[in-house]
Amino acid sequence: MAPEWQYLETDQVVTYFPSYLSRLAPHVTKCVESALHTHRRILGYQPDNKVVVELSDSIDNANASAGVMPRESLLFYAAPVDLAFEAFSSGERFCNFANHETTHLANNGQASPEDARFRRLFGGKVSPWANHPETILYAFLTAPRTNSPRWLIEGAATFMETWLGGGLGRAQGAYDEMVFRAMVKDGSEFYDPLGLVSQGTALDFRAGANNYLYGTRFQSYLALQYSPESLFRWWQRQPATLRDYKDQFEVVYGRPLEQAWQEWVSWEQAFQQANLAEVRKHPITPVEPLSGRALGSVSRAHEDTETGEVYVGVRYPGVVAHLAAVSLRDGSVRQLTEVEGAMLFRVTALAFDRERRRLLYTNDNNALRDLMEYDLRSGKSRMLIENARVGELVFHQGSRTLWGLRGSRGRVSLVRFNEDLSD
């Protein structure tokens, strides 16, 4: 039976939600209102209309999105966030989402007097439409900053998410720091702005994470060197500001974007070399690689003493995400079965039933999770429960039970399945 949809309306926001999420709707609405107030104070942003917010429970990994064409809208998912590797803020998720996504609204939807005149002429902001290429021009006239590259859009939002979160966020997170320190240690080449939006995106198996990493780091550097207020002057679309983001950058910083980018790269390399020098003062735990090749994102691993292998979910460029068996003897890797809808960093929830020689794992991790079984003897996989919505799997050998966390309707529950998978 389809849920009843309800709405909550204030002076600034209209939030639509299924009835079973009614307890979350007031909090989400207040988070968005607070973020809008902050962006009005800092950036002078005033939406053209009330911001429409949809609160949904249709996926099992929390996410959010924003759009300004033809009107300002936000979409929040009620599931818990994935905190693997500290790649997302540990703060309250709806406030983080609100701070992040309303930055998109402000950066992409703010109108100068000139933009406002074109919006009145065309009856609002015009979305580009492939069947009518002239709409690209209309979009540029009504909302020019939507033509900014994604590294700018996502980096700005991630910076604000951190700044408004009191420093809790990805701009000061351990994962971002680790990435750039490792790049400097390995002598990796830094993309320039053009390379980032072409090759850097095409080769990024982490679903566009390079845009977040580079964009956040570059703009944090600008805030450190010149002040956060300089960023705001770059982002704003006010009277006397320029339509193109690169032109406006040169007005604010007095140098071309490409020059400032190279200055950041030089600063980053020196900064990370100093960090590495400090790290090298202390001995590290000796390591022995299990595999001769990088496996990209990996899940929780399980050792099989019977075969001398480690079972793990892996996700790396050029190959569909899959369950793999890594030999502890020679490091060889066997592909077992594909994982559909793999998670970005953790790939899949994975458990090992030693007695029945089976792996229990999840598919559709970015939708409604299915509980799957892979039989190590036959090499066949099958679905056990469709839309089980269970992750963080652990199999207890003594009681022959499978445990996990089920997210549904904005709540997380600890669940237990018997050996025959009845809960």
Side-chain angles (χ1 to χ4, degrees), residues 349-375:
L350 182 64
F352 179 29
D353 179 359
R354 300 176 188 277
E355 183 176 312
R356 290 182 55 177
R357 306 292 302 159
R358 60 176 178 166
L359 296 173
L360 300 161
Y361 66 102
T362 53
N363 271 349
D364 288 343
N365 293 276
N366 298 309
L368 300 181
R369 290 190 186 98
D370 301 327
L371 182 59
M372 307 293 294
E373 175 191 80
Y374 176 78
D375 190 309

Side-chain angles (χ1 to χ4, degrees), residues 164-184:
L164 298 180
L168 289 176
R170 288 170 284 183
Q172 295 191 132
Y175 181 80
D176 288 39
E177 181 75 16
M178 174 197 70
V179 169
F180 288 100
R181 187 168 61 247
M183 288 175 61
V184 172

Side-chain angles (χ1 to χ4, degrees), residues 125 156 197 240 261 364 397:
K125 298 182 289 292
V197 299
W261 189 279
D364 288 343
Q397 304 293 336

Side-chain angles (χ1 to χ4, degrees), residues 118-136:
F118 280 111
R119 291 181 188 183
R120 289 192 294 270
L121 175 63
F122 293 117
K125 298 182 289 292
V126 180
S127 302
W129 189 22
N131 291 341
H132 291 276
E134 69 276 10
T135 56
I136 298 174

Side-chain angles (χ1 to χ4, degrees), residues 74-289:
L74 301 173
L75 172 60
F76 289 175
Y77 293 101
V81 296
D82 185 355
L83 298 176
F85 303 117
E86 299 181 39
F88 192 77
S89 169
S90 59
E92 200 284 314
R93 67 187 188 277
F94 291 118
C95 285
N96 283 332
F97 285 152
N99 292 333
H100 184 105
E101 302 301 335
T102 54
T103 304
H104 291 329
L105 300 184
N107 285 358
N108 295 338
Q110 190 172 26
S112 71
E114 184 182 17
D115 302 338
R117 286 195 294 272
F118 280 111
R119 291 181 188 183
R120 289 192 294 270
L121 175 63
F122 293 117
K125 298 182 289 292
V126 180
S127 302
W129 189 22
N131 291 341
H132 291 276
E134 69 276 10
T135 56
I136 298 174
L137 172 61
Y138 303 154
F140 184 70
L141 293 174
T142 55
R145 294 296 175 83
T146 58
N147 293 278
S148 302
R150 195 177 179 203
W151 63 258
L152 167 54
I153 293 171
E154 297 298 351
T158 305
F159 176 85
M160 289 297 286
E161 155 202 317
T162 307
W163 200 52
L164 298 180
L168 289 176
R170 288 170 284 183
Q172 295 191 132
Y175 181 80
D176 288 39
E177 181 75 16
M178 174 197 70
V179 169
F180 288 100
R181 187 168 61 247
M183 288 175 61
V184 172
K185 176 183 179 295
D186 296 341
S188 300
E189 182 180 358
F190 280 65
Y191 291 113
D192 60 22
L194 179 59
L196 178 60
V197 299
S198 55
Q199 185 181 21
T201 301
L203 297 180
D204 185 7
F205 77 100
R206 294 163 300 179
N210 274 343
N211 286 307
Y212 290 80
L213 290 166
Y214 277 79
T216 303
R217 199 71 177 178
F218 175 58
Q219 291 176 79
S220 297
Y221 161 80
L222 294 175
L224 178 65
Q225 297 296 316
Y226 303 101
S227 79
E229 288 74 20
S230 70
L231 283 178
F232 305 154
R233 292 195 300 273
W234 179 27
W235 300 340
Q236 283 177 314
R237 183 68 176 127
Q238 297 281 7
T241 60
L242 302 181
R243 286 181 168 275
D244 184 74
Y245 72 96
K246 293 179 67 175
D247 294 339
Q248 181 63 18
F249 182 93
E250 193 162 350
V251 167
V252 173
Y253 293 102
R255 51 177 49 75
L257 173 63
E258 290 76 8
Q259 178 184 337
W261 189 279
Q262 291 308 313
E263 291 170 355
W264 159 63
V265 171
S266 298
W267 178 91
E268 188 71 54
Q269 291 171 334
F271 177 74
Q272 297 299 350
Q273 287 291 2
N275 287 339
L276 289 166
E278 290 298 315
V279 171
R280 293 185 181 109
K281 292 180 180 179
H282 307 278
I284 63 173
T285 303
V287 298
E288 181 180 350

Side-chain angles (χ1 to χ4, degrees), residues 287-303:
V287 298
E288 181 180 350
L290 292 180
S291 170
R293 62 153 303 158
L295 297 177
S297 298
V298 297
S299 72
R300 181 179 295 142
H302 299 275
E303 181 182 0

